Amino acid sequence: MVTPSLKLQDLIEEIRGAKTQAQEREVIQKECAHIRASFRHGDPLYRHRQLAKLLYVHMLGYPAHFGQMECLKLIGSPRFTDKRVGYLGAMLLLDERQDAHLLITNSIKNDLNQGIQAVQGLALCTLSAMGSAEMCRDLATEVEKLLLQPSPYVRKKAVLTAVHMIRKVPELSNIFLPPCVHLLHERHHGILLGTITLITELCERSPAALKHFRKAVSSLQVVPQLVQILQTLLMTGYSPEHSISGVSDPFLQVQILRLLRILGRNHESSEIMNDLLAQVATNTDTSRNAGNAVLFETVHTIMDIRSAAGLRVLAVNILGRFLLNSDKNIRYVALTSLLRLVQSDHSAVQRHRPTVVECLREPDVSLSRRALELSLALVNSSNVRAMTHELQGFLESCPADLRADCASGILLAAERFAPTRRWHIDTILRVLTTAGTHVRDDAVANLTQLIGGAQELHAYSVRRLYSALAEDISQQPLVQVAAWCIGEFGDLLLEGSCEEMEPLQVEEEEVLALLERVLQSHMSLPATRGYALTALMKLSTRLRGDSNRIRQVVSIYGSCLDLELQQRAVEYNTIFRKYDHMRAAVLEKMPLAERGDPRVDEEAKESEEVQPSEATPVPTEPQASQLLDLLDLLDGPCGAAQHPLAPDPSPGSALGHLLDLPWAPPPPAPIPNLKVFEREGLQLNLSFVRPPETPAVLLITVTATNTSRGDVTHFICQAAVPKSFQLQLQAPSGDTVPAQGGLPMTQLLQIHNPNKATLRLKLRLTYNHFGQSVQEIFEVNNLPTETWQ
C-alpha cells in the first residue's frame, strides 16, 4: 500500500510555508520519496499527478532525473491529460546529452500523424524545444506535411518547429523550400511572422536557399511580396491588436526588413526596395521605442543593400538623430552603427562630428568608449587640429581605462595627418604630459626620431622638454624623451633665446641637478635612469664647465644593483679614465636612424599609389586621402630608380640548343615563409609562390593565427605597394581568428612586378581583441630576395 502523498497545491503551499531552507529540503525529500514509491508501484491513474509535483520540484532546483522514464510512459498513453504532462516533463527533464530523448521519437511521429490538433501541438512544441539532430532528420517529412495543414494552429507550430530543424540540421533546407513561398500569402499573423523567420534562417544557413529565393524575384514572388506586406503595414496596418505605441506591428516590420537586407545584399533586387525603405524611414514615428527599433533595422538594411546615395545619407541622418535621443541605449546603437559606416560613407558621417564629440562627455563609460572610437575614425587632414584639441581635452578627464586608447589614437592621428612638424611635436608632448604612462611602447622612439629629423626645431624641442621635465618627472615616457633630447642638444638649451618661444635662461647647474633628481627619484624606471645617465655623460662634452660633477655621479652607479645601469656606468667610467681623449668623438650626436615609416613630402606622396582591396566598397574621397596618407611608403618615386635585370644566360639552355635536345629548367627553390607580426597571441605569417609560367607575378598568402584565449574579431588586413607595382587583394576567408589555435584566417595578395624592382610592402591591421580596438601599421622591408629577383 502506497502511503498517501500531498496534492500539488498542498505541496506548493507547504514548501512556500517553510521558514528555513532545511525545512524546505525536508519537505521535498519526503515528497520525493513518496513519488519514487508511486513510480515503483506503477500507479497509472495518478502517474501524471506525481510527475507534475516532480516537475515543480525540478523548477526549484532539486534533482528530478528519476522521472525521465515516467515522461516516456505518459507520452505513450492514449489519454490527453497524461500526454500533456508527459510532453511538459520531456521538455524540462530531457535534452540532447541524454540518450533517453531518442526513445520518444516514435511517439512524436505517431502523435503528429494522429490528426488531433491539441496532440499535434504538444508534439511540435516538444520537438522544437529539445529535438536533437537525429530526431530532426527522422521527423522532417512529418513536419513538412503539417506546414500545409488547414488548421492555422498546427501550421504556426509547424513553422516554428521547422525553424528549429534548420538551425539544428541546415542540410534539411531543401525540404522546406517549396512551402515557404505559399505561406507568405497567409493572413494569419503568427504563420506569417514564423514564415519570414523560417526564410531568414534558410537564407543565412544555406547558399542554395538564398539563391532559390533570389531567383523568385523574376517571377514576382518573394521580394515583391515582402515589399507589398510592408507597404500594407505602413498604410493600413495589419490589425489593431498587433500595434505597439502607434507603430503597426513593429515585430513583423523588423523581421521583413532583416529578410530584405539578406536578399538584397549585393543583388539587383535592391532596386525594388529603395522606394519602400525611403517611405519607412520618413513615415515611422520616432517618439516611441518601437518606432526607433523599426528605424534602426531600416538603416541597417539601407547600408547593406545597393541603395541610392541619397538614401544612404538619409540613413546616416537618422543615426544622427538617434545621438540626440535621451535614451542611452539608442545613443549607443547609433554610435556603433556610425562606426560601421564611417569607412563607406565618411563624408555623410562627418556632418555629425559635433554631436559625436559631445558624446565624449557622457558619464556612461560604454558610451564614451564608442564615441572615442568614432571620433578617432573621423579624424582626417582637414579637421585634425580641431579633433585633436577635443580629444586632448577628453584625455585630461577621461576614465583610466580609456586613457590608453585615447592616447594611442591621438598619437596615430598626429602621425598620419600632422600639418607641420612643430604641431606634431607639440601634440605628442601634450599627450605625454597628460597621460604619459598610458601611451604605446613605441611613442618614445617615434618622438625622438621626429625631433632628431627636424633640425630647425632642435632648440625649440629641448626647451619645451626641459620645461615639462622641470614641472613633472612622474610621466616616464616624457622623462625618457626629455633626457634623450637634453643629452643630444644640451648645448642649444644653454644658448640664447629661441625665436619660437619665450626666452628661457638655464644654468648648467640647473640642468645637472634636474638629471640627478631623475636618477634619484623612486618613480624612475631602470630604463629612465639609463636615459638620464647617458644624458649626463653626453653633457660632459656639451657643457663648458668642469665635468667632475658628472664623473662623480657616474661613478656612484658603478655599483648599482641594476645590471644594465651598472654596465653603463662602468663603461662610462672607463671612458673618463682611459679614453678621455676620445670622449668627444665617442659622445657625438647620434646620427638620424632610418625609420620603417618615413614621412615624405607632398611630391613623394603623389608619386605613391595604393591599390584598394576589391572585396571592399569604393571609399569616398576623404577616406581615400586618409588611406593614401596612412599607407604612403617611400621617399620619392619608386619606379624611377628601378631597372629591369638582364636575364642571365642559362648553360643548360645553351647545351640543349647545342645538342638539339629538349631541356626544361629546374624547378625554382621554395621561397621561405616570413613572420611579420606578433602581438598578444596574434601572429601574421607570409608565404610566397611565384608561378613559373608568369614569373612577374608573386602570390602572397597572409595567414593569421591566434594562440590567445580570446577570439580576434573584425579582422581587416590592408596592403600597399609602390607605384611601379600592381596589387590585387582577394577577399579573406573570414573576419574572425578563433582563439587557442583555431582555424587560421587566410587572404591572398597578388603582386605584379614587371620591372623586377625591390619589393616593399606596407600592411595595416585593424581588429578587436579582448574588447579593445587595435590598429597596427608597419612596413615589411625584409622580404626574401627570391620574391622579386
Side-chain angles (χ1 to χ4, degrees), residues 520-562:
Q520 297 168 5
S521 173
H522 68 280
M523 295 181 291
S524 297
L525 299 174
T528 306
R529 290 192 173 95
Y531 275 95
L533 192 63
T534 302
L536 280 172
M537 190 64 185
K538 290 199 171 189
L539 287 178
S540 67
T541 64
R542 288 157 175 72
L543 300 183
R544 294 181 294 271
D546 190 9
S547 60
N548 287 330
R549 179 175 178 179
I550 296 176
R551 296 184 61 172
Q552 292 175 1
V553 174
V554 171
S555 62
I556 291 174
Y557 288 90
S559 58
C560 179
L561 294 178
D562 184 82

Side-chain angles (χ1 to χ4, degrees), residues 134 139 259 314 375 396 432 651 763 777:
E134 294 81 359
L139 301 173
L259 181 53
L314 176 62
S375 299
E396 296 176 355
L432 293 180
L763 296 178
I777 307 168

Side-chain angles (χ1 to χ4, degrees), residues 299-339:
V299 168
H300 278 272
T301 303
I302 291 173
M303 292 304 175
D304 280 4
I305 68 173
R306 298 177 182 175
S307 54
L311 198 57
R312 299 178 73 87
V313 173
L314 176 62
V316 174
N317 292 338
I318 291 173
L319 294 176
R321 293 202 307 269
F322 281 177
L323 292 178
L324 302 175
N325 199 294
S326 58
D327 192 335
K328 293 182 179 180
N329 295 322
I330 295 177
R331 294 202 299 275
Y332 181 83
V333 297
L335 290 170
T336 304
S337 301
L338 287 173
L339 188 60

Side-chain angles (χ1 to χ4, degrees), residues 255-270:
Q255 286 297 111
I256 293 175
L257 289 169
R258 288 178 180 174
L259 181 53
L260 289 175
R261 179 165 73 245
I262 296 173
L263 294 174
R265 186 179 293 129
N266 298 324
H267 195 258
E268 61 270 12
S269 60
S270 303

Side-chain angles (χ1 to χ4, degrees), residues 378-395:
L378 289 175
V379 178
N380 57 25
S381 56
S382 61
N383 62 17
V384 62
R385 291 180 182 271
M387 287 297 295
T388 303
H389 178 74
E390 295 288 347
L391 291 171
Q392 286 174 340
F394 172 70
L395 181 62

